């Protein structure tokens, strides 16, 4: 399948090489080995998840402890994604690809699928962010319309009024619908662009899903005398809490009315060069504190991640300083919003799309 083509602009190539040189020099002047902290998290965070699981089992008769432990497992699941899974996909934790692969493999044990997610993230989202039909992160669900220049249909016309009922189900859809569709539905972006998936990966995906259900629900019921209602209810709350927490972090970074959703021309061409595309479709958040940097994996500095994905998030603070200064100097569309403002803007996007009130990119 013919892939989109970024606008060729030799001046933008020169600009990016200049920016990359500045960033490389800045990072090289940082003497401490900050990546050691991610390596510590690669051990600590999975232990927290496992510890909470056993805390729940060993206190199964105390329902509030059991439920609270499962909810905190949901929070730790998101922290594992932000700090470990995402970095491992870019080979930013260890120098060894095999060790990074082992960390990525954690995803299979917490309900997702590492194989298909890495393809989504690297070959789809990073390759063509905010491009309809190529970025799986904005792939249309039927319920919510993210791309502004597509006409709202059916319930999408009311999406700004019911989205808060849909978003808590985000990870349920990911774990038990989206993964399966990306493996077997030939109309999905992944299968159209990445080709046939090996049979062994399909077997592994189903096996891990069954194991996930086994230890989440069957083990507590069969071996620790937890009622079916409590087991299912606590697991349900775990995934709900993880969904809300995950979207609270991820939604403010791309799907905003201030960001472009570039439309392909008839020759599969994009309107921006690769460099300008990253600025046009991505924004940062203004929050920059210890919690964001060390617990949430510096997702506030998302422009830095799209421009320099091979640096770990431990360096994004300095990299972003270089990017912001460079963008101002050369007229690049760098955007940065407070978190609450960005979340409000996302709702504005849903409302505008529901009413088809957003701009239409010219052919």
């Amino acid at each position: 399948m013919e892939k989109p083509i970024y606008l060729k602009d030799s001046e933008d190539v020169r600009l990016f090489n200049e920016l990359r040189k500045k960033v490389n020099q800045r990072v090289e002047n940082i003497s401490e080995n900050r990546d050691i902290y991610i390596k510590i998290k690669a051990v600590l965070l999975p232990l927290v998840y496992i510890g909470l699981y056993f805390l729940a089992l060993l206190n199964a008769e105390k329902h509030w402890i059991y439920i609270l432990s499962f909810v905190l497992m949901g929070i730790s699941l998101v922290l594992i994604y932000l700090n470990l899974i995402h970095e491992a996909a870019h080979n930013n934790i260890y120098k060894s690809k095999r060790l990074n692969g082992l960390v990525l493999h954690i995803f299979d044990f917490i309900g997702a699928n590492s194989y298909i997610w890495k393809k989504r993230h690297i070959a789809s989202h990073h390759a063509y962010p905010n491009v309809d039909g190529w970025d799986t992160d904005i792939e249309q669900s039927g319920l919510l319309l993210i791309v502004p220049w597509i006409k709202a249909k059916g319930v999408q016309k009311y999406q700004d009024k019911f989205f808060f009922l849909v978003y808590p189900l985000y990870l349920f859809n990911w774990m038990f619908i989206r993964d399966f569709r990306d493996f077997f539905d030939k109309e999905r972006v992944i299968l159209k662009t990445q080709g046939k998936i090996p049979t062994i990966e399909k077997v592994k995906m189903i096996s891990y899903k069954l194991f996930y259900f086994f230890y989440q629900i069957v083990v507590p019921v069969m071996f620790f005398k937890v009622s079916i209602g409590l087991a299912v209810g606590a697991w349900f709350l775990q995934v709900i809490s993880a969904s809300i927490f995950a979207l609270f972090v991820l939604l403010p970074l791309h799907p905003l009315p201030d960001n472009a959703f570039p439309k392909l021309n008839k020759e599969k061409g994009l309107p921006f060069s690769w460099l300008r595309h990253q600025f046009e479709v991505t924004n940062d958040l203004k929050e920059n504190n210890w919690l964001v940097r060390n617990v949430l994996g510096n997702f506030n500095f998302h422009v830095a991640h799209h421009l320099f994905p091979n640096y770990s998030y431990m360096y994004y603070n300095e990299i972003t300083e270089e990017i912001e200064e460079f963008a101002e100097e050369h007229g690049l569309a760098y955007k940065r919003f407070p978190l609450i403002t960005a979340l409000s803007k996302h709702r504005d996007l849903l409302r505008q799309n529901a009413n088809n009130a957003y701009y239409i990119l010219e052919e």
Side-chain angles (χ1 to χ4, degrees):
M1 190 174 184
E2 188 179 351
K3 295 182 179 181
I5 302 170
Y6 283 103
L7 180 69
K8 291 179 172 60
D9 190 317
S10 58
E11 175 61 16
D12 284 356
V13 172
R14 185 194 67 79
L15 284 178
F16 180 66
N17 288 334
E18 182 182 338
L19 175 60
R20 180 166 53 190
K21 184 178 180 180
K22 288 176 178 290
V23 166
N24 289 343
Q25 289 176 344
R26 181 70 180 271
V27 173
E28 287 169 3
N29 289 330
I30 299 173
S31 58
E32 58 183 302
N33 180 16
R34 297 185 185 179
D35 290 335
I36 188 65
Y37 297 107
I38 304 181
K39 294 181 176 67
I40 293 172
K41 291 178 185 178
V43 177
L44 182 62
L45 288 176
L47 288 178
V48 169
Y49 182 86
I50 294 170
L52 288 168
Y53 176 69
F54 282 105
L55 178 64
L57 294 182
L58 296 176
N59 292 275
E61 72 283 355
K62 299 177 180 178
H63 293 181
W64 71 271
I65 294 181
Y66 187 89
I67 293 172
L68 179 61
S69 297
F70 266 71
V71 169
L72 292 177
M73 283 171 65
I75 302 301
S76 65
L77 184 158
V78 178
L79 296 181
I80 288 171
Y81 168 79
L82 294 175
N83 289 275
L84 303 181
I85 304 301
H86 185 255
E87 291 300 305
H90 292 281
N91 294 309
N92 287 341
I93 301 179
Y94 301 102
K95 293 182 179 179
S96 166
K97 287 187 178 182
R98 185 182 67 84
L99 290 177
N100 284 303
L102 288 176
V103 174
L104 188 63
H105 196 46
I106 295 172
F107 224 22
D108 297 306
F109 290 93
I110 55 179
N113 180 265
S114 60
Y115 174 85
I116 205 69
W117 178 80
K118 185 173 181 178
K119 283 190 173 294
R120 286 190 202 121
H121 187 69
I122 303 296
S124 175
H125 175 63
H126 267 270
Y128 310 106
N130 272 23
V131 178
D132 181 51
W134 295 88
D135 180 2
T136 55
D137 283 8
I138 61 167
E139 197 163 19
Q140 303 310 303
S141 67
L143 289 176
L144 298 176
L145 177 64
I146 301 299
V147 179
W149 44 265
I150 295 178
K151 186 175 178 61
K153 298 178 181 179
V155 296
Q156 294 172 349
K157 296 178 181 179
Y158 312 99
Q159 63 183 18
D160 58 311
K161 298 177 176 61
F162 67 79
F163 73 94
F164 61 90
L165 298 175
V166 175
Y167 279 161
L169 304 177
Y170 172 66
L171 289 184
F172 290 102
N173 177 67
W174 183 345
M175 293 175 178
F176 307 117
I177 298 177
R178 185 182 181 188
D179 281 349
F180 284 91
R181 290 188 67 190
D182 279 347
F183 267 89
F184 299 105
D185 187 345
K186 294 180 180 179
E187 295 303 313
R188 299 285 282 184
V189 171
I190 287 297
L191 285 184
K192 287 196 296 184
T193 60
Q194 301 301 309
K196 187 177 180 180
I197 295 174
T199 301
I200 185 61
E201 293 298 337
K202 296 177 182 179
V203 173
K204 286 165 60 178
M205 186 268 288
I206 295 173
S207 299
Y208 278 115
K209 297 286 188 187
L210 291 174
F211 177 73
Y212 172 76
F213 263 123
F214 178 74
Y215 82 78
Q216 288 277 337
I217 296 176
V218 177
V219 168
V221 171
M222 290 189 62
F223 302 103
F224 291 87
K225 298 181 180 179
V226 175
S227 69
I228 295 177
L230 177 59
V232 173
W235 169 77
F236 186 81
L237 289 175
Q238 174 194 152
V239 183
I240 289 286
S241 61
S243 297
I244 295 172
F245 184 30
L247 289 174
F248 190 76
V249 177
L250 299 176
L251 279 178
L253 301 174
H254 288 289
L256 305 185
D258 305 74
N259 293 334
F261 292 81
K263 193 173 184 181
L264 297 172
N265 62 27
K266 294 179 181 179
E267 289 74 40
K268 294 280 187 180
L270 286 162
F272 306 116
S273 68
W274 179 87
L275 173 66
R276 292 184 185 273
H277 185 98
Q278 309 312 313
F279 280 101
E280 293 288 346
V281 305
T282 313
N283 62 274
D284 281 351
L285 300 177
K286 285 192 174 180
E287 283 73 16
N288 182 17
N289 51 50
W290 183 91
L291 178 70
V292 172
R293 290 193 303 270
N294 295 283
V295 178
L296 300 183
N298 254 343
F299 257 65
N300 56 321
F301 294 139
H302 208 59
V303 175
H305 175 62
H306 272 266
L307 289 173
F308 301 98
N310 293 328
Y311 279 118
S312 82
Y313 65 79
M314 297 303 297
Y315 301 96
Y316 286 173
N317 190 44
E318 289 83 357
I319 292 175
T320 299
E321 289 178 0
E322 296 294 334
I323 290 172
E324 192 168 10
E325 180 181 337
F326 193 83
E328 184 176 357
E329 180 182 351
H330 295 283
L332 297 169
Y334 178 76
K335 303 175 290 290
R336 197 171 187 175
F337 308 113
L339 174 62
I340 299 303
T341 300
L343 289 170
S344 177
K345 284 176 175 291
H346 176 71
R347 183 177 183 181
D348 289 343
L349 176 69
L350 295 179
R351 182 184 296 114
Q352 290 167 1
N353 289 357
N355 297 324
N356 294 120
Y358 202 58
Y359 69 88
I360 303 295
L361 290 179
E362 294 294 335
E363 291 287 350

